[in-house]
Amino acid sequence: GNWKFHPRMHEEKKQFAPAVPPQPAVLKNEHVEWFIKKRNIPASVLMEAGITSADEFMPQTGRKESCICFNYYDGNRLVNTKFRDQEKHFKMTAGAELIPYNLNGILGTPQCIITEGEIDALSFMAIGRTDVISVPSGANCNLSWLDRFVKSHFDDKQVIYLCVDTDKKGLQLRDELLRRLGAERCLIVDLSPAKDANEVLQEEGGAEALKTALKNAPQAPLQGVFTVGDLNDEMRVLFENGLGHGAD
């Protein structure tokens, strides 16, 4: 038998398409097994995160595929769904609003963790950090989706952990998050040499390694604060020799 869920309310929002038509909330055993064996994420986290399964038409293959559904909630309202098939093809609900994944998990919490993908967010949930979100569209620097939630979900944060990839796109995302959220309260999580949080979790002792990475995360560099090493040659001459004497 499959895992069954209590259905949540589905409400429409005028300017966006409804996320999905009401359907039985089921999580297939094959998907539970995949998360446990391939990703080291326990069934309890899948239940908490509202992961479901659906047979969904995928444009990449031209047919219906058995998909894992990452459901994006704002309160009790299902806003969007990302479908993932076994070949790692993705699609989101056409016309639905982009919001952070696991948004409810950071409402009213003093801290939060921001990741670049849903499975990384689930990986932090697996070590007991439910105060975690994923950006909705991967490493995309257009953060207009953030505007609606700054006051309600981010203004109260004392500490924000940024845990994104270290490739060019990931670093651009990190810089834009720092600019929007304020570098003074952000810590940068370093998971190297691993690519992401789930890769760490899959290793032996991975749960402790993730906790340690959070604990050791350094303060983000503040904009406008620089060291002598950051200065160009011309500035360094001024720095070392002074401005000289002005005209009498």
Side-chain angles (χ1 to χ4, degrees):
N2 292 320
W3 300 61
K4 295 202 175 161
F5 295 80
H6 298 294
R8 303 195 193 186
M9 289 188 299
H10 297 261
E11 300 170 14
E12 294 189 20
K13 201 168 186 193
K14 284 178 187 171
Q15 67 267 43
F16 296 106
V20 288
Q23 57 185 6
V26 168
L27 180 55
K28 294 179 180 178
N29 279 336
E30 67 192 76
H31 292 153
V32 176
E33 291 296 313
W34 180 83
F35 272 111
I36 293 171
K37 290 178 179 173
K38 300 288 188 185
R39 298 294 184 163
N40 204 19
I41 293 169
S44 58
V45 168
L46 306 179
M47 300 287 280
E48 185 176 11
I51 302 288
T52 55
S53 303
D55 293 325
E56 181 72 17
F57 178 84
M58 297 299 279
Q60 297 94 333
T61 64
R63 61 173 186 262
K64 277 194 170 186
E65 302 289 351
S66 178
C67 291
I68 293 165
C69 305
F70 299 97
N71 297 303
Y72 284 65
Y73 282 94
D74 179 5
N76 284 326
R77 185 168 60 88
L78 181 59
V79 173
N80 208 333
T81 298
K82 180 186 274 188
F83 301 92
R84 180 195 196 278
D85 70 15
Q86 63 182 4
E87 298 300 321
K88 211 179 174 184
H89 298 131
F90 298 97
K91 80 168 189 180
M92 296 190 84
T93 304
E97 184 183 7
L98 289 177
I99 69 169
Y101 181 68
N102 195 44
L103 179 68
N104 294 342
I106 69 165
L107 183 62
T109 61
Q111 301 186 356
C112 74
I113 303 165
I114 300 179
T115 70
E116 212 177 297
E118 296 89 349
I119 291 176
D120 288 331
L122 295 175
S123 300
F124 281 108
M125 292 176 73
I127 65 166
R129 291 300 299 253
T130 56
D131 55 343
V132 59
I133 59 166
S134 164
V135 298
S137 45
N140 187 330
C141 291
N142 178 3
L143 301 189
S144 56
W145 53 266
L146 194 60
D147 295 342
R148 187 159 82 80
F149 305 107
V150 168
K151 194 169 182 182
S152 57
H153 290 72
F154 292 98
D155 276 358
D156 61 352
K157 297 295 174 276
Q158 296 157 25
V159 177
I160 299 173
Y161 294 92
L162 301 185
C163 186
V164 298
D165 291 356
T166 53
D167 58 12
K168 187 180 176 185
K169 278 190 173 180
L171 293 177
Q172 287 174 341
L173 171 66
R174 186 187 77 185
D175 289 348
E176 186 62 13
L177 286 167
L178 287 172
R179 189 181 72 78
R180 295 286 293 270
L181 298 172
E184 67 281 350
R185 58 180 176 158
C186 291
L187 304 179
I188 307 295
V189 183
D190 180 10
L191 300 177
S192 58
K195 179 180 173 289
D196 55 37
N198 188 250
E199 193 174 299
V200 175
L201 186 66
Q202 290 178 57
E203 295 166 1
E204 194 168 339
E208 285 307 312
L210 271 186
K211 290 176 187 175
T212 301
L214 289 175
K215 189 174 156 191
N216 295 338
Q219 166 76 47
L222 300 177
Q223 284 185 328
V225 177
F226 51 81
T227 65
V228 179
D230 297 326
L231 301 174
N232 62 30
D233 291 340
E234 192 177 344
M235 286 293 291
R236 187 173 289 113
V237 170
L238 286 174
F239 188 86
E240 290 170 354
N241 300 329
L243 289 168
H245 297 293
D248 290 332

